[in-house]
Amino acid sequence: MPATQKPMRYGHTEGHTDVCFDDSGSCIVTCGSDGDVRIWEDLDDDDPKSINVGEKAYSCALKNGKLVTAVSNNTIQVYTFPEGIPDGILTRFTTNANHVVFNGDGAKIGAGSSDFLIKVVDVMDCSQQKTLQGHDAPVLSLSFDPKDVFLASASCDGSVKVWQISDQVCAISWPLLQKCNDVINAKSICRLAWQPKSGKLLAVPVEKSVKLYRRETWNNQFDLSDNFISQALNIVTWSPCGQYLAAGSINGLIIVWNVETKDCIERVRHEKGYAICGLAWHPTCGRIAYTDAEGNLGLLENVCDSSGKTSSSKVVSNMVSSRVEKDYSELFDGDDTSNAGDFLNENAVETSFSKGILNHEEVADDAMLASGLPRQQSFLLYKDESPIGVPGLKTVASFLEDVEEDDQAGTVHELPLRTSQRPFYDGPMPTPRQKPFQSGSTPLHLTHRFMVWNSTGIIRCYSDEQDNAIDVEFHDTSIHHAIHLPNTLNYSVADLSHEAILLACESTDDLARLHCLHFSSWDSSKEWMVDMPENEDIEALCLGQGWAAAATGALLLRLFTIGGVQKEIFSLPGPVVSMAGHGEQLLIVYHRGTGFDGDQCLGVQLLELGKKKKQILHGDPLPLTRKSYLVWVGFSAEGTPCYVDSEGIVRMLNRGLGNTWTPICNTREHCKGQSDHYWVVGIHENPQQLRCIPCKGAQFPPTLPRPAVAILPFKLPYCQTATEKGQMEEQFWRSVMFHNYLDYLAKNGYEYEKSTKSQAIKEQQSLLMKMLALSCKLQREFRCVELADLMTQNVVNFAIKYASRSRRLILAQRLGELAVKKAAELAITQVEGEEDFRNKLGAGYSDSATEGSQPWCQTQVEKDAEDSGETDDVEEKPETQKPGQNPFSKSANSSDVPAIKSVTSSNQGRVNPFKVTANSKESAVSVNLVRSTNILDNMDKSYKKSAALSRATNSEKSPVIKPLVPKPKSKQPSAVSYFQKKTSQSDKTEEMKEENPKNSSSEAPSLCSQNTENQRPKTGFQMWLEENRSDILSDNPDFSDEADIIKEGMIRFRVLSAEEREAWTTKAKGGTSVNGTEAKKRKHVVEESHEAENQKEKAKENLNLPKKQKPLDLSTNQKLSAFAFKLE
């Protein structure tokens, strides 16, 4: 009996309409573009219950008393049924949700949206959501696997995908549909459906046929079609038994197939030819409800028996009765015409059924060819010619049992391909390659989209029925005013810089074209175009400083000047993914190979296109998060390469660690919802800012309203950042990494603010000092030394002081050793490359470099001058005799200042200042280990004192101009030089005494100068070293450098017990006074031997000198001893 078509009736306003039945089939539920959901008891119901759910309702689904709707406010709402009471919002999207479906038990819903996302949401707990990402265009339809393992989806990107719900991965994808950019432009909404109960087949309407795919193997088993189908099919639905399949076309044709026989059993045409957009099969009987694109509701009755049992029984009973009649007809020879008529009728049924049997065999043959397995014996029972006896009845009974089992399994018959068979390859599956994209752009199919959003400006593209144009907006209007461009060539890729706008279009009928608007050009011609060769599309492009680059589908990268001159061209190792430019740097990301298990296999090249062209990264692998893909690549504002993957991990090139990639931020940590994302538009290193746009429930922002830019902080993924130690470690290394660009700028000759670097060093050293203090409190002294190794020379000073005051004596000693080691390494480096060091700093050691040792150095210069036999006696005599007046002054210490200063000023005018530095070369690494802590503790204060002393000296008389030397490097040599100067002077004096024992009067100035030095208090280590020097030299005859002797002496002196060291210290204090008394006696002897004239001259000068040196009346010895040795 053919299906009965009832007259259609008005249901909703014109537009897309959806329909479904309730669980019992007693009600028909529809929704439409008027925003209402209507509940019909029957098609003749003149007063259906209406529930307003929003402005527009695109889809509805009903299960277990829950009515779910996809509404125009981008939400999935749930209502109670049949009351229609709102029960909350299950999930949200950024754009319209196009389709919503329940799974088999009604515990979950699946929703697909125009923002390319699919969400699987738990109905009872909407926080339990899974997001399926992979479509590149709006989602058209969804269908749950009855076993709740897979979810099928169709999209405007032309693909049909099957997702594994648990892992949220795509199991298979077929490019079946015609691509479009929105649902309203889609040729078909492609409402696909799984076969009920078993889910063995997936039906997909493709053009004029329905393709059926086998579960798990995903083979295309067969297609269903009909000659009456003239337009594309829009929607399919299965009967509850899974034996029949109905489809509706865009011209109003409804067709029903028997899937087992592949026969078309019903054809019904819409009375007005409107597109069928909603189709639902009654859960218990042969009724189909359908809706069209004009809002009308229709109903087909008596389509078939949806259970499938009756029809199968009927066919079998007809077969049995036919055979019985045939057997009896042979006995009666068909004399009775009425019986003959009945017999003919029965033969007609049998003939029809025989045709069905043939179709069964054809299906079995097809299956056998596909699988290579023999057909099942049950399909051949109709060829049994045995009479209708017990065996025949048993055969029929067995057939009925098979039909019953098939019906209970929910399938037409068991196809020969068994589920135990598996594909030959069972390893990791290859990952589809990521398509090329432009950083800062939104998907191409959108009518209103961002072509690029970067730190310079924004390029928007509008391609709708009203306008097809491009708007360019600059963040800084001083660069250029806003620009409006017609988009007649359908440009799809763009980039923007401070110099130009670069556009490219795909090749359709014409060639691909590169278009540049050089708005910063000083001439009147501000545009140029270049056509690509045939079959060569531009897939990515970027702009730099004075150049433009375009990567094409022919695996070529073409370089141009900003004015349009073609430059170098080279081949890419793989298909390009994206590019970025900054200054002279070009960053290229491409496919190195095929990834597996959802991972992309990307490579990266970094080139510098300046005068000296070079490649920094040579196709190194680009690290990505597992099962993620690249979403943004570019440079920070300071020129450091960065990129972002789909999991929200931001990585930056760490130039200070061998050009490795370090994660600096995880944007997903700042997202409130699982479907929220941050769309990155720029990165700044100083200040540390990640500029991005928050996207609620989407991966990219809409063009209108204008999105607001948010600023996220950076955070390196260090361990235990909740603790104080972890926080400071993260802050320190982040500061180190984010200031690597300063070294890069300095290396490449760029200008930068030096105050920025000094501030960064100050911040880093402050963090190190805090970490050291924390480790010291935790009694982690070894860790303290490790931290001190990262400190600068000045900060080690504070570390030693902190350790001493904290009574960590062993730690203070270790830190002192570390400080000496650092100073020795620095000094050795200076000695080895002294000439280079001078050129680098200016012109050798300056006043600030020798402030601490200046008096001794100048005295030595004077003695050298005397030894060399200089003839300038007129100048030399008054200067050398001045120290002889010191014992007669009221205070020996106060008289030291004018005496030593006079020597200094007298020699500065005629002696090369670099001669002093050369004399100190041998002892450049001499350091007093025991007093090293004191040296560093007094470094800052001593520098201030010696600087004041140096300024006073230069103000008196300074004919030699000395360059300025950085302070940190000048302090240690000044303290180190003490040992060599004093030792060399004393040795020299003894030699001079032996050679000239009679000329004691001529040596008096030198002795007086030396005795002035000897008044300086000796340390215990100095006295110990003088007595044990011979032992050290005898044990180490290879020691030729004073620095080696000092080091060995330090080691031996440290081994002494505390009592022995204290004894030497006491001895040193007692020896000072004795030496002072002996010096005074010698001076008295010398003074008596002088003539009266010389005494008068000395007295005159002695009276005048204190007046000249009055501002420097403080004790120089006190200052210098505090600088070098004295404890605070």
Side-chain angles (χ1 to χ4, degrees):
M1 180 178 180
T4 304
Q5 182 180 13
K6 288 192 173 183
M8 301 192 69
R9 62 171 301 164
Y10 171 82
H12 299 272
T13 57
E14 177 183 351
H16 178 81
T17 314
D18 200 8
V19 62
C20 64
F21 283 97
D22 67 344
D23 296 337
S24 62
S26 59
C27 296
I28 303 173
V29 181
T30 61
C31 68
S33 56
D34 53 6
D36 291 337
V37 173
R38 292 192 170 91
I39 303 173
W40 311 76
E41 294 182 359
D42 197 0
L43 190 65
D44 299 329
D45 187 1
D46 293 330
D47 188 19
K49 183 176 181 178
S50 182
I51 306 170
N52 185 265
V53 296
E55 185 178 351
K56 288 184 178 180
Y58 297 104
S59 179
C60 64
L62 180 59
K63 199 92 169 179
N64 299 340
K66 297 288 184 179
L67 175 64
V68 178
T69 59
V71 195
S72 58
N73 61 357
N74 309 339
T75 61
I76 303 296
Q77 300 178 2
V78 60
Y79 295 84
T80 61
F81 182 85
E83 295 84 5
I85 301 173
D87 199 15
I89 296 175
L90 289 180
T91 187
R92 297 177 183 271
F93 295 93
T94 55
T95 55
N96 298 330
N98 301 320
H99 196 206
V100 59
V101 291
F102 272 102
N103 68 340
D105 58 3
K108 298 177 183 178
I109 63 104
S113 170
S114 291
D115 60 6
F116 315 169
L117 296 181
I118 301 169
K119 294 185 180 181
V120 180
V121 186
D122 193 292
V123 177
M124 302 307 296
D125 184 7
C126 61
S127 63
Q128 301 295 323
Q129 294 189 11
K130 291 183 179 180
T131 302
L132 307 179
Q133 302 176 2
H135 283 298
D136 298 327
V139 180
L140 292 171
S141 66
L142 303 173
S143 179
F144 268 106
D145 166 27
K147 295 184 179 180
D148 227 7
V149 177
F150 299 107
L151 175 71
S153 63
S155 171
C156 291
D157 60 9
S159 67
V160 174
K161 296 180 183 291
V162 178
W163 307 84
Q164 193 162 345
I165 301 175
S166 59
D167 297 337
Q168 303 179 46
V169 296
C170 179
I172 191 69
S173 178
W174 301 290
L176 300 176
L177 310 177
Q178 184 176 345
K179 294 184 179 181
C180 58
N181 61 356
D182 204 355
V183 178
I184 59 174
N185 299 325
K187 186 176 181 181
S188 165
I189 61 174
C190 190
R191 290 289 166 85
L192 38 75
W194 287 91
Q195 187 179 22
K197 297 182 181 179
S198 65
K200 292 182 179 179
L201 297 174
L202 172 64
V204 184
V206 181
E207 294 296 333
K208 299 178 183 179
S209 64
V210 179
K211 292 184 177 292
L212 287 98
Y213 291 90
R214 180 78 175 183
R215 179 193 181 90
E216 294 181 352
T217 62
W218 310 122
N219 296 326
N220 183 13
Q221 290 291 108
F222 53 89
D223 294 349
L224 297 177
S225 186
D226 190 77
N227 295 331
F228 288 89
I229 302 175
S230 59
Q231 296 290 331
L233 298 177
N234 215 23
I235 184 173
V236 296
T237 185
W238 289 85
S239 64
C241 65
Q243 184 175 352
Y244 303 102
L245 182 69
S249 70
I250 60 175
N251 63 344
L253 181 65
I254 299 176
I255 298 179
V256 180
W257 287 278
N258 185 327
V259 179
E260 181 181 0
T261 63
K262 295 190 290 189
D263 286 340
C264 178
I265 59 175
E266 296 290 351
R267 299 184 189 93
V268 178
R269 187 172 296 278
H270 190 284
E271 55 191 34
K272 293 186 178 179
Y274 295 151
I276 305 298
C277 57
L279 203 62
W281 206 300
H282 194 279
T284 57
C285 63
R287 302 175 67 187
I288 296 178
Y290 62 97
T291 54
D292 59 27
E294 298 296 322
N296 299 313
L297 173 64
L299 190 65
L300 295 179
E301 292 185 340
N302 301 323
V303 177
C304 65
D305 189 350
S306 62
S307 65
K309 296 180 182 180
T310 306
S311 60
S312 301
S313 304
K314 182 177 179 181
V315 169
V316 176
S317 63
N318 287 338
M319 178 197 70
V320 175
S321 62
S322 172
R323 292 190 176 185
V324 172
E325 290 293 333
K326 184 176 181 181
D327 292 337
Y328 280 99
S329 64
E330 294 176 357
L331 296 176
F332 294 99
D333 295 330
D335 294 338
D336 191 348
T337 55
S338 61
N339 290 338
D342 295 337
F343 173 75
L344 291 176
N345 291 336
E346 291 295 327
N347 277 342
V349 174
E350 183 183 11
T351 304
S352 171
F353 183 67
S354 300
K355 183 179 179 181
I357 295 171
L358 183 61
N359 290 333
H360 276 294
E361 293 177 353
E362 290 176 357
V363 173
D365 290 338
D366 293 340
M368 181 182 67
L369 292 175
S371 63
L373 296 176
R375 293 173 296 179
Q376 293 182 0
Q377 188 68 27
S378 59
F379 294 126
L380 304 177
L381 66 93
Y382 304 112
K383 295 184 179 180
D384 187 8
E385 299 298 333
S386 61
I388 187 70
V390 176
L393 292 175
K394 286 183 179 179
T395 305
V396 173
S398 63
F399 176 75
L400 291 175
E401 290 177 1
D402 290 339
V403 172
E404 286 287 339
E405 290 175 0
D406 287 342
D407 290 338
Q408 291 176 2
T411 182
V412 292
H413 58 63
E414 185 69 25
L415 292 176
L417 187 61
R418 298 174 184 175
T419 57
S420 60
Q421 285 184 316
R422 293 185 179 180
F424 178 77
Y425 178 72
D426 198 20
M429 298 302 295
T431 304
R433 287 182 174 179
Q434 180 179 356
K435 295 181 179 179
F437 71 95
Q438 188 73 17
S439 293
S441 65
T442 51
L444 185 63
H445 68 275
L446 299 176
T447 55
H448 293 187
R449 59 182 289 259
F450 292 111
M451 298 184 76
V452 69
W453 184 323
N454 57 22
S455 58
T456 304
I458 307 169
I459 300 180
R460 296 184 182 88
C461 178
Y462 304 95
S463 56
D464 50 24
E465 298 176 355
Q466 300 176 354
D467 194 10
N468 189 9
I470 295 174
D471 286 340
V472 183
E473 175 187 343
F474 294 88
H475 299 315
D476 185 2
T477 54
S478 63
I479 298 175
H480 200 274
H481 59 77
I483 302 174
H484 181 80
L485 303 170
N487 191 18
T488 55
L489 295 178
N490 293 323
Y491 293 117
S492 57
V493 189
D495 198 12
L496 178 65
S497 72
H498 291 81
E499 296 178 315
I501 302 169
L502 195 62
L503 302 167
C505 61
E506 297 178 353
S507 61
T508 52
D509 297 335
D510 301 329
L511 301 176
R513 179 170 297 176
L514 186 68
H515 184 190
C516 181
L517 281 75
H518 185 200
F519 54 79
S520 64
S521 174
W522 49 266
D523 63 359
S524 58
S525 301
K526 298 184 181 297
E527 292 186 55
W528 55 268
M529 293 187 182
V530 173
D531 289 336
M532 295 293 110
E534 190 175 356
N535 299 326
E536 188 173 339
D537 284 335
I538 298 174
E539 296 184 342
L541 47 79
C542 67
L543 285 166
Q545 187 175 358
W547 56 268
T552 67
L555 300 183
L556 294 176
L557 191 135
R558 301 178 179 273
L559 291 174
F560 303 84
T561 65
I562 201 66
V565 179
Q566 297 189 60
K567 295 180 68 179
E568 293 86 355
I569 179 173
F570 60 91
S571 295
L572 295 174
V576 69
V577 177
S578 187
M579 295 197 308
H582 183 279
E584 296 176 349
Q585 300 180 86
L586 170 61
L587 187 68
I588 309 167
V589 180
Y590 60 91
H591 289 286
R592 296 177 65 245
T594 301
F596 288 89
D597 287 341
D599 296 332
Q600 296 289 329
C601 183
L602 305 181
V604 58
Q605 288 184 341
L606 179 61
L607 297 92
E608 291 186 358
L609 304 178
K611 293 182 179 180
K612 296 181 179 179
K613 297 178 175 61
K614 57 182 178 179
Q615 189 170 357
I616 308 300
L617 299 178
H618 303 265
D620 301 340
L622 189 71
L624 291 173
T625 309
R626 287 296 311 274
K627 298 184 179 180
S628 67
Y629 52 91
L630 192 67
V631 296
W632 186 89
V633 61
F635 290 85
S636 67
E638 291 76 13
T640 305
C642 309
Y643 68 93
V644 186
D645 62 27
S646 58
E647 294 298 321
I649 305 298
V650 184
R651 293 178 177 85
M652 177 181 287
L653 186 69
N654 192 346
R655 300 184 191 271
L657 194 62
N659 290 330
T660 54
W661 296 97
T662 302
I664 57 175
C665 183
N666 184 359
T667 60
R668 298 307 299 270
E669 291 180 353
H670 303 275
C671 295
K672 295 182 180 179
Q674 293 182 354
S675 59
D676 298 343
H677 294 82
Y678 279 96
W679 196 64
V680 177
V681 296
I683 295 176
H684 293 260
E685 296 180 71
N686 187 25
Q688 297 177 15
Q689 293 180 351
L690 176 63
R691 303 175 65 85
C692 49
I693 297 172
C695 303
K696 185 71 174 177
Q699 292 183 325
F700 53 85
T703 55
L704 292 174
R706 182 190 176 103
V709 178
I711 296 176
L712 297 182
F714 292 111
K715 183 179 179 181
L716 274 62
Y718 276 81
C719 302
Q720 297 180 336
T721 52
T723 64
E724 187 178 2
K725 171 181 174 290
Q727 288 177 1
M728 288 190 290
E729 288 171 343
E730 189 272 337
Q731 291 173 11
F732 171 75
W733 290 111
R734 175 157 47 88
S735 176
V736 170
M737 180 176 176
F738 276 82
H739 290 91
N740 285 337
Y741 76 93
L742 295 173
D743 297 331
Y744 173 79
L745 295 178
K747 180 180 177 182
N748 289 272
Y750 293 99
E751 295 181 358
Y752 66 94
E753 295 183 5
K754 295 185 178 180
S755 60
T756 305
K757 187 169 185 177
S758 61
Q759 182 66 26
I761 294 175
K762 182 178 179 182
E763 176 189 355
Q764 295 163 16
Q765 299 303 313
S766 174
L767 287 168
L768 285 174
M769 195 63 203
K770 290 178 182 178
M771 285 190 282
L772 184 138
L774 180 63
S775 300
C776 194
K777 289 179 181 179
L778 298 175
Q779 298 183 359
R780 298 282 185 177
E781 296 187 2
F782 189 88
R783 185 182 295 170
C784 292
V785 178
E786 291 177 328
L787 291 169
D789 194 30
L790 301 172
M791 295 179 180
T792 60
Q793 195 74 15
N794 287 338
V795 181
V796 176
N797 166 26
F798 297 105
I800 297 173
K801 187 181 296 184
Y802 181 86
S804 301
R805 293 179 179 177
S806 301
R807 301 186 181 277
R808 307 282 181 182
L809 301 181
I810 298 177
L811 175 60
Q813 182 179 351
R814 293 285 184 178
L815 294 178
E817 294 175 5
L818 180 63
V820 170
K821 182 180 177 183
K822 284 192 171 187
E825 290 175 355
L826 178 63
I828 290 172
T829 305
Q830 292 173 349
V831 169
E832 289 177 351
E834 186 177 7
E835 294 300 327
D836 296 336
F837 184 71
R838 288 177 182 175
N839 296 334
K840 193 174 182 180
L841 296 180
Y845 294 108
S846 66
D847 288 334
S848 60
T850 57
E851 286 162 354
S853 57
Q854 188 176 14
W856 298 281
C857 294
Q858 295 298 344
T859 306
Q860 180 66 30
V861 170
E862 182 189 6
K863 294 187 71 174
D864 292 341
E866 290 179 0
D867 294 340
S868 62
E870 292 183 1
T871 58
D872 196 358
D873 297 333
V874 178
E875 296 179 5
E876 191 172 349
K877 280 184 180 180
E879 300 297 329
T880 56
Q881 291 172 359
K882 288 175 187 177
Q885 299 294 330
N886 294 342
F888 300 98
S889 60
K890 293 181 180 180
S891 173
N893 290 337
S894 64
S895 64
D896 287 345
V897 177
I900 295 173
K901 283 299 173 182
S902 62
V903 173
T904 303
S905 61
S906 66
N907 285 284
Q908 278 182 340
R910 56 190 177 84
V911 179
N912 187 353
F914 298 114
K915 185 174 181 181
V916 179
T917 305
N919 289 337
S920 64
K921 187 181 295 185
E922 293 181 0
S923 62
V925 294
S926 303
V927 179
N928 187 342
L929 180 62
V930 177
R931 300 295 181 179
S932 60
T933 303
N934 305 331
I935 294 172
L936 295 169
D937 286 346
N938 295 279
M939 192 172 291
D940 294 335
K941 296 181 180 179
S942 301
Y943 174 76
K944 295 178 181 177
K945 295 177 183 178
S946 56
L949 191 63
S950 176
R951 284 196 297 270
T953 304
N954 293 335
S955 63
E956 284 184 21
K957 186 176 181 182
S958 182
V960 179
I961 301 175
K962 298 184 179 181
L964 218 53
V965 180
K967 297 177 184 177
K969 295 183 180 180
S970 67
K971 297 175 183 178
Q972 190 62 30
S974 64
V976 171
S977 62
Y978 172 76
F979 292 104
Q980 183 191 7
K981 293 303 171 186
K982 183 171 180 181
T983 306
S984 61
Q985 286 173 9
S986 60
D987 294 343
K988 235 177 181 181
T989 306
E990 291 176 3
E991 291 175 3
M992 291 168 64
K993 283 182 181 180
E994 293 175 0
E995 292 175 2
N996 302 311
K998 297 179 180 180
N999 298 334
S1000 60
S1001 60
S1002 63
E1003 295 295 330
S1006 298
L1007 288 171
C1008 294
S1009 176
Q1010 180 184 341
N1011 291 334
T1012 303
E1013 285 184 355
N1014 289 337
Q1015 292 175 5
R1016 182 180 188 81
K1018 285 187 177 181
T1019 63
F1021 172 70
Q1022 287 176 304
M1023 296 189 68
W1024 180 89
L1025 183 62
E1026 290 175 1
E1027 291 192 9
N1028 294 273
R1029 178 184 295 273
S1030 58
D1031 296 338
I1032 295 174
L1033 291 174
S1034 63
D1035 295 341
N1036 300 279
D1038 55 335
F1039 282 0
S1040 59
D1041 195 351
E1042 183 69 19
D1044 298 331
I1045 300 174
I1046 297 294
K1047 287 181 181 179
E1048 181 66 22
M1050 291 176 190
I1051 296 171
R1052 295 190 181 189
F1053 187 77
R1054 194 181 303 114
V1055 175
L1056 299 177
S1057 63
E1059 291 79 7
E1060 291 176 326
R1061 289 199 294 267
E1062 185 65 27
W1064 280 106
T1065 305
T1066 306
K1067 185 177 179 181
K1069 292 180 180 178
T1072 303
S1073 60
V1074 175
N1075 291 339
T1077 306
E1078 292 178 1
K1080 288 182 180 179
K1081 290 179 181 179
R1082 291 175 187 171
K1083 290 178 184 177
H1084 282 299
V1085 173
V1086 172
E1087 292 301 329
E1088 289 174 0
S1089 66
H1090 284 317
E1091 295 179 359
E1093 264 183 277
N1094 291 337
Q1095 291 178 358
K1096 290 179 182 179
E1097 289 178 4
K1098 289 176 189 176
K1100 241 185 220 181
E1101 290 172 1
N1102 218 14
L1103 290 172
N1104 294 333
L1105 278 174
K1107 295 179 182 178
K1108 295 180 182 178
Q1109 302 295 333
K1110 192 171 184 179
L1112 298 175
D1113 199 24
L1114 296 174
S1115 171
T1116 306
N1117 275 351
Q1118 289 179 358
K1119 293 181 179 179
L1120 297 175
S1121 62
F1123 172 78
F1125 301 101
K1126 188 177 179 181
L1127 281 168
E1128 284 190 62

